[in-house]
Amino acid sequence: MTMNTSNLTLLTDLYELTMMQGFFETKANEKVIFDVFYRTNPEGAAYAITAGLAQVIDYINNLHFEAKDIEYLRSLNLFHEDFLNYLKNFRFTGDIYAIPEGTVVFPKEPLLKIIAPIMEAQIIETAILNIINHQSLICTKAARVVYAAGGGVMEFGLRRAQGPDAGIYGARAAVIGGCVGTSNVLAGQMFDIPVKGTHAHSWVMSFKTEIEAFRTYANMYPDNCILLVDTYDTLKSGVPHAIQVFDELKAKGIQPKLYGIRLDSGDLAYLSKKARKMLDDAGHKDAIISASSDLDEYLIDSLHSQGAQITSWGVGTNLITSKNCPAFGGVYKLAAVSDKSGAFVPKIKVSENIEKVTNPGDKTVFRLYDKETGKVKADLIALADEVYNADETLMIFDPTATWKKTWLDGGTYTIRELLVPVFLNGKCVYESPSVMDIRDYCIQELNTLWDESRRLVNPQEVYVDLSKTLWELKNSLLDHVHSFENR
């Protein structure tokens, strides 16, 4: 189940529509290629994970202008009647290729490639970036948090998300990134993902005594009995009362499927170690200790180094907002324009900032895996008509050096093309997996990274390069631009 996106057609920047009208009047049938990519990894990471493709598909499938949309555009006094009449029957008719959700990706690689009439390609820019940037950001953050925790992370961020959609789709992305579930019930319903939660301090405070609150909760939910123990005094009151309730359940012959305590404040390392000993001494060695309280990957890693005895983690604010890096930075750039014969002419954006110089032409991405370990050795951005296989020797040119050549023996590598067709001639040809299946795939993807590239501090960057053909094309276009400027 996905949210109805039929009302998202006007989820765009005004200049997309004014440019669209300009194209309608000057070059309506001109086909173009746009790439969606990002320039730098989220802060602290050596990789990202692409997410949001299912919502892009839903958006494209529902893309049309309703009467109220056209009337609103008419009221702006910017658009001509012939253009507004054209919008009445507007539909996307182009092609979209994408790297599947849950895939580990790196800077400059096309996450999506759009091949379509220029009007159609232009109008979808803003919405696609909105969807892909948000979910890829949260998914990447979740993967790092889960890696630091060693698993067992629950997404608890709905109340701190920047609005309902951010909470819903952020939860989806977090589960793809490795979270075991979410507190967000609507996200659970929409995407068929596990929903999880315990109780609040208000539950304990609403009863006359803490022990009464715990008993009542345990009687209601004996198979999922996680008790919040820090309302009054964690070690003197909360944990002893939780142990008493667990003892009472066992005395009744009830063995909960899941039971334990949650810590939400104080020194989590110290309290978890003390609580673990108290639980173990009382015969509850299988009781879990869950922790929340403004956690992120760095704090979780620190708690591990201090010997914290925490079994599961509830991560909210810092995950759902990606607090240390609140924007993904994906962009949507023109790569080629068709000529009168229908052939694509490569285009390049030039900048004094080398990071903003684009890669021209119709491209694809190849990934090279070490056959022995299955780990990623390098990625190759190439022109779409280039063909590589494991029996060839690849010559890769390093754009950070002057014609530095790196020879890779193709016989020791497995090569995979990452971009797959999603829309062809306006028809969706791709079936999105379930969120939980994407999560499983994402776990496999993350395991193809070397540990050195997953570490939280100063990770090793993964080598991404251009094919010889693309490198030469890029340099020829740069030479042409520079010679034109020097006339």
Side-chain angles (χ1 to χ4, degrees), residues 154-156 159 182-184 195-204 214 217-218 220-221 224-230 258-264 288-292 312-314:
M154 299 169 285
E155 186 280 311
F156 281 177
R159 62 190 60 191
T182 177
S183 65
N184 187 329
V195 289
K196 298 180 179 293
T198 56
H199 62 77
H201 295 105
S202 59
W203 173 265
V204 179
F214 287 177
Y217 193 84
M220 293 178 64
Y221 308 106
N224 187 22
C225 185
I226 308 298
L227 303 175
L228 182 59
V229 296
D230 70 335
L258 180 67
Y259 77 106
I261 65 171
R262 179 162 73 95
L263 304 170
D264 190 50
I288 73 164
I289 298 178
S290 178
S292 46
S312 66
W313 311 81

Side-chain angles (χ1 to χ4, degrees), residues 63-125:
L63 186 61
H64 68 283
F65 290 84
E66 298 179 358
K68 63 180 180 180
D69 300 327
I70 294 173
E71 188 56 37
Y72 171 71
L73 294 177
R74 182 178 288 113
S75 74
L76 298 179
N77 296 318
L78 290 170
F79 302 103
H80 306 152
E81 282 302 314
D82 56 348
F83 175 64
L84 294 175
N85 286 331
Y86 161 77
L87 295 182
K88 292 178 181 179
N89 297 309
F90 176 84
R91 290 292 188 276
F92 181 79
T93 65
D95 303 337
I96 296 179
Y97 295 79
I99 297 178
E101 289 189 87
T103 303
V104 168
V105 290
F106 307 108
K108 299 294 184 69
E109 299 177 341
L111 308 183
L112 285 86
K113 177 173 69 175
I114 293 87
I115 306 175
I118 192 166
M119 290 188 296
E120 300 176 22
Q122 194 69 65
I123 189 62
I124 64 177
E125 173 184 4

Side-chain angles (χ1 to χ4, degrees), residues 30-33 114-116 335-339 341-346 361-362:
E30 185 174 84
K31 291 189 85 172
V32 295
I33 300 175
I114 293 87
I115 306 175
V337 176
S338 63
D339 60 17
S341 70
F344 281 113
V345 178
D362 184 1

